[in-house]
Amino acid sequence: MNKEGYSYRISAAGRVNLIGEHVDYCGGQVMPCALSLKNTVWARPNGENVLRIRWTDLPEVAVLDLGDLEQYRDKQHIKYHAGCAALWREAGHRVVGCDLLMDCTVPFGSGLSSSAAIEVSTIAALATVAGEKFDPVEVALVAQKAEQEYAGVRCGVMDQYASANGRAGYAILLDCATLEREYIPVRLGDYTLVIADCKKPHSLVASKYNERREEVEEALRLLKKRLAVNSLAEVKPYLLEEYRTLLPAVIYRRAKHVVEECERVRTAARLLRGGDIEGFGRLLNASHASLRDLYEVTGKELDSLAFAAQSHPACLGSRMTGAGFGGCTVSVVKKSAEEDFKAFVAEKYARETGYRAAFYSAEIGDGIVVEKE
Ligand code: GLA
């Protein structure tokens, strides 16, 4: 696909979340890293009132009428672009007609936030073509709204935030209630992060995800009868125990995951800052166990993949990352044993599930990058 003649190249990242899973929509802290896997958009103004979208790996061209973006709400692929343009304009920004050429290196359906990378880079491209300087935090918030309204996932802010605001070499410790953030250097010494995809075709992620959200909203509603809190993240684990009789058993388990995971993130940030990689790894294992037993978002494949990783002697910790129900694990592995680790995990996982795991090589990359062509 010819990339000549475009004025700008804009990219936004996929992400891996190190810890703090299923807590962003409960006001908790998360610790994602942007990845060097990303969506790149080549962009130029076209002087018409349309978005003309092409892909480097697809033959089709989509032409979206900027005068009537509503009509694309249910259209696979382009609903994201239509949603981003409509909501960016609704937020008070100018959207002009442009040609956009898309190239995504974030594997789809892997739980590494390909959709956030597409949304964030699309909005950044629209702003750039319109000659606007943009605030990456605002871009993330509008992209999150596009995911909620056009993809139907009631997601938190983590993915789009990391995609827009990541920094090479750093994890973002993000408080999802206040959007305060701290960049923590990921210095793992002799260790490295390994991302493995369970490659199980997953469906119904959106509906199961939304179901979990309802369950924790119910937990908060019930706890509020006795506790003056605004979010589940504000509830300390001992208070949840004190008031557990207010909650039906399933709702209690969901809430327990959230409040304990929030504690784990605080500890993990401390350990990472202090260079205690072993302690950090143990928290990853504890997070996975909680997502499996309390939050119930892992499933046989992710459990098998994480367990295979955890049982390798060079691995300090492994957990599912992202929404779950399929997708990826992230593991902390001794660099010198990386290849042996991958072979061991792939073999054990295939034997147990029949699926072939995929391993992605990615660095911790930057969020939005805008370059003039
Ligand atoms: C998905 C959502 C995020 C977050 C994670 C789980 O990736 O988009 O907002 O809730 O799941 O931590």
Side-chain angles (χ1 to χ4, degrees):
M1 182 65 62
N2 192 358
K3 292 163 189 159
E4 270 164 36
Y6 286 89
S7 323
Y8 302 97
R9 185 173 59 213
I10 297 105
S11 62
R15 66 93 191 92
V16 63
N17 186 25
L18 299 185
I19 195 159
E21 214 64 85
H22 283 282
V23 298
D24 61 346
Y25 50 83
C26 301
Q29 287 181 310
V30 293
M31 208 193 281
C33 302
L35 292 172
S36 51
L37 300 168
K38 60 193 173 191
N39 188 61
T40 302
V41 185
W42 283 263
R44 65 180 168 222
N46 60 20
E48 302 167 56
N49 199 33
V50 299
L51 299 183
R52 190 172 291 107
I53 305 177
R54 294 182 172 83
W55 291 266
T56 50
D57 58 344
L58 294 174
E60 54 252 48
V61 182
V63 182
L64 278 62
D65 178 1
L66 282 172
D68 179 16
L69 289 167
E70 271 304 303
Q71 58 178 307
Y72 311 109
R73 198 173 261 279
D74 299 319
K75 297 263 182 321
Q76 272 248 285
H77 303 312
I78 55 171
K79 64 184 173 193
Y80 294 99
H81 309 93
C84 287
L87 293 169
W88 188 240
R89 196 159 55 189
E90 198 180 289
H93 300 279
R94 207 160 70 91
V95 173
V96 300
C98 51
D99 298 341
L100 304 171
L101 170 63
M102 304 267 155
D103 181 72
C104 194
T105 57
V106 190
F108 294 117
S110 62
L112 299 178
S113 294
S114 53
S115 62
I118 291 168
E119 291 149 2
V120 168
S121 56
T122 298
I123 297 175
L126 294 175
T128 304
V129 171
E132 263 196 38
K133 281 233 166 315
F134 56 83
D135 168 12
V137 176
E138 189 191 4
V139 171
L141 292 171
V142 173
Q144 177 196 12
K145 208 165 166 207
E147 180 80 27
Q148 292 176 337
E149 291 186 12
Y150 284 73
V153 182
R154 294 183 59 213
C155 65
V157 72
M158 171 170 78
D159 303 348
Q160 289 78 10
Y161 194 98
S163 175
N165 298 283
R167 199 180 274 179
Y170 290 83
I172 313 171
L173 178 63
L174 174 69
D175 183 322
C176 299
T178 61
L179 294 190
E180 270 171 49
R181 68 177 176 213
E182 177 191 334
Y183 287 96
I184 302 186
V186 181
R187 287 199 205 98
L188 301 178
D190 293 341
Y191 288 84
T192 186
L193 297 175
V194 176
I195 299 171
D197 189 336
C198 74
K199 282 287 176 183
K200 178 202 159 201
H202 57 181
S203 55
L204 298 175
V205 179
S207 66
K208 289 183 189 157
Y209 182 94
N210 293 345
E211 184 185 291
R212 289 295 174 278
R213 250 201 106 142
E214 278 162 30
E215 288 167 342
V216 290
E217 279 164 5
E218 172 73 352
L220 179 62
R221 201 179 57 75
L222 294 170
L223 289 168
K224 271 183 161 178
K225 292 185 174 165
R226 304 290 286 279
L227 287 172
V229 288
N230 295 312
S231 70
L232 264 193
E234 290 174 27
V235 179
K236 291 275 173 280
Y238 81 92
L239 279 175
L240 178 66
E241 291 315 309
E242 211 166 305
Y243 292 105
R244 68 178 286 178
T245 52
L246 291 175
L247 309 179
V250 172
I251 303 293
Y252 164 72
R253 287 207 301 277
R254 307 295 189 243
K256 187 170 160 67
H257 164 73
V258 172
V259 301
E260 292 181 354
E261 182 79 352
C262 288
E263 286 289 310
R264 275 190 288 273
V265 178
R266 281 187 275 274
T267 313
R270 185 163 47 73
L271 297 181
L272 199 57
R273 282 191 212 99
D276 182 350
I277 311 304
E278 280 184 24
F280 184 74
R282 280 194 293 275
L283 289 173
L284 301 194
N285 292 343
S287 171
H288 186 89
S290 177
L291 289 156
R292 179 190 63 211
D293 302 335
L294 300 175
Y295 219 64
E296 296 178 276
V297 291
T298 54
K300 179 168 168 266
E301 292 76 17
L302 278 175
D303 287 339
S304 163
L305 195 58
F307 183 68
Q310 289 167 5
S311 55
H312 189 278
C315 176
L316 294 181
S318 181
R319 59 181 286 277
M320 59 150 269
T321 182
F325 312 109
C328 286
T329 57
V330 58
S331 311
V332 178
V333 180
K334 194 150 204 160
K335 281 179 193 159
S336 56
E338 190 177 338
E339 291 315 312
D340 184 65
F341 169 82
K342 287 180 182 168
F344 173 87
V345 169
E347 200 272 321
K348 195 161 156 52
Y349 175 68
R351 204 166 359 101
E352 277 174 20
T353 64
Y355 289 110
R356 270 170 75 111
F359 295 89
Y360 303 124
S361 349
E363 304 292 316
I364 301 180
D366 284 317
I368 299 172
V369 176
V370 177
E371 289 159 298
K372 227 172 159 0
E373 282 287 90

